[in-house]
Amino acid sequence: MRRSLCFLFLLFSNLSVIRVQTTTSSFCSDSITFLHEKVVIPSSRYYIHGVIENTGTVNLEFVKIRYNFYDNSDNLIATEYTYTARDIVAVGEKSTYQVLTDFTIQEWDHYEVKWEAHSVNKIPYRDLAVKSHKVDRSGFSPKIIGEIENVGQHNTTFVKILFVFFESGTFLGVDYTYADPTDIQTGETGIFQNYVDDFCDSFTDYEMYLDCNQYYLLTTTTTTTTITTTTTSEETTTSKTGSKTSENTGISGIEDSPGFSVLTTLISLTCSIIIYTRRKSSNLTKK
């Protein structure tokens, strides 16, 4: 096992790290990278928006992100958690998340972040393509409209579009919407429309990630072959029979995501890691 520190530099000013804990699990320490994070305050309550990337070696399902909030005496005053917008985050993929709190911004001084996930033998169905997309700023709020096509060989359900907004390279926040219709048959097209929240309406660039409920299940099969060797001499004839076993890994047919009620794991491995602790910024985003 190796020991490593994971830091996340937030997009706030006047932030200071007051406590960073380590993990001794090599799997946990490099599987999730926090790419972006920001606190937004659209009302008396506040949201935390973020983007993570699976930088490990296995696909992850049900990535859970927990925030523990403390006062200036280091007393725990609240805890909140959420799951990433994508149920399955494959190796190299990104996903957004949003945390909504039920207390006011004045009550906390700093917070601590943990995550956990299950490694799975599933490959998410990603044969979806954005045919077109554009920004419409003619109305009260800007909106993004576009088309999604299912270019694969399987029908899809609950097709979701995730958005990440930037202003000249600075992270603003995230959002998501569903296609219409939400279920897109193979070869067919759906449309989407997403109104941008006011704390992101100054965006100049955006990214989109696509998701649906379908996935492939990796399977391992064992094949046994009988081998017979015959040896002949002047006096005797003998036969020897043996077996040869080989394992092949393949991809089974498409499956529907079971949701949070069922966990199908190839490696029953749950990771929990405290990544960083941050003090509250004096320059939070507020509208």
Side-chain angles (χ1 to χ4, degrees):
M1 294 293 185
R2 61 186 174 85
R3 183 176 296 270
S4 64
L5 291 175
C6 299
F7 293 93
L8 174 65
F9 295 96
L10 306 186
L11 300 173
F12 312 147
S13 62
N14 303 322
L15 279 175
S16 60
V17 180
I18 66 167
R19 182 173 66 250
V20 177
Q21 299 189 28
T22 62
T23 175
T24 58
S25 170
S26 60
F27 175 86
C28 291
S29 63
D30 65 358
S31 289
I32 289 293
T33 298
F34 285 73
L35 300 178
H36 306 290
E37 186 193 47
K38 192 168 188 177
V39 176
V40 294
I41 318 171
S43 60
S44 59
R45 299 190 298 175
Y46 68 96
Y47 297 77
I48 299 177
H49 287 203
V51 180
I52 61 95
E53 181 179 5
N54 183 351
T55 52
T57 58
V58 294
N59 294 348
L60 299 176
E61 186 175 38
F62 305 138
V63 179
K64 182 178 181 180
I65 301 170
R66 178 176 294 278
Y67 283 77
N68 296 327
F69 298 89
Y70 299 86
D71 62 20
N72 55 14
S73 298
D74 208 30
N75 297 312
L76 179 67
I77 59 173
T79 182
E80 302 285 352
Y81 72 88
T82 190
Y83 290 88
T84 55
R86 279 176 161 170
D87 286 347
I88 302 174
V89 185
V91 173
E93 286 190 338
K94 302 173 185 177
S95 183
T96 62
Y97 69 89
Q98 301 180 51
V99 177
L100 172 63
T101 70
D102 59 359
F103 56 95
T104 64
I105 195 73
Q106 291 79 16
E107 294 177 348
W108 63 274
D109 175 74
H110 58 279
Y111 60 80
E112 179 181 74
V113 183
K114 299 181 179 181
W115 69 269
E116 62 183 49
H118 296 266
S119 62
V120 292
N121 56 336
K122 299 175 182 178
I123 300 176
Y125 183 81
R126 294 290 185 247
D127 290 333
L128 298 167
V130 179
K131 289 187 62 177
S132 66
H133 62 100
K134 68 176 183 178
V135 178
D136 181 0
R137 295 184 181 272
S138 61
F140 179 77
S141 297
K143 62 182 179 181
I144 301 175
I145 57 177
E147 299 172 288
I148 300 291
E149 182 180 3
N150 182 352
V151 297
Q153 302 300 313
H154 301 284
N155 299 332
T156 58
T157 59
F158 296 102
V159 175
K160 184 190 299 184
I161 305 95
L162 315 181
F163 297 91
V164 184
F165 297 101
F166 301 90
E167 182 179 7
S168 301
T170 299
F171 175 67
L172 295 178
V174 304
D175 204 354
Y176 71 90
T177 191
Y178 287 93
D180 183 14
T182 57
D183 303 345
I184 303 179
Q185 309 300 307
T186 179
E188 295 187 355
T189 299
I191 62 174
F192 65 88
Q193 176 175 269
N194 185 77
Y195 286 90
V196 181
D197 289 322
D198 56 357
F199 51 83
C200 293
D201 61 9
S202 62
F203 72 95
T204 56
D205 304 286
Y206 59 98
E207 297 177 354
M208 291 186 292
Y209 314 141
L210 305 180
D211 192 40
C212 66
N213 268 22
Q214 282 62 47
Y215 62 88
Y216 296 99
L217 186 65
L218 284 173
T219 59
T220 301
T221 59
T222 301
T223 303
T224 301
T225 304
T226 301
I227 303 171
T228 302
T229 302
T230 302
T231 303
T232 303
S233 66
E234 294 182 353
E235 298 180 353
T236 61
T237 299
T238 61
S239 295
K240 297 179 179 179
T241 302
S243 62
K244 179 181 179 181
T245 301
S246 61
E247 290 189 352
N248 297 306
T249 300
I251 300 176
S252 71
I254 200 74
E255 303 283 347
D256 289 329
S257 178
F260 290 99
S261 61
V262 179
L263 292 177
T264 304
T265 61
L266 177 64
I267 307 171
S268 298
L269 180 58
T270 300
C271 294
S272 182
I273 172 176
I274 298 175
I275 299 197
Y276 56 82
T277 305
R278 297 292 185 187
R279 285 197 181 281
K280 181 172 60 179
S281 169
S282 59
N283 186 27
L284 299 176
T285 301
K286 187 171 184 177
K287 287 285 186 179

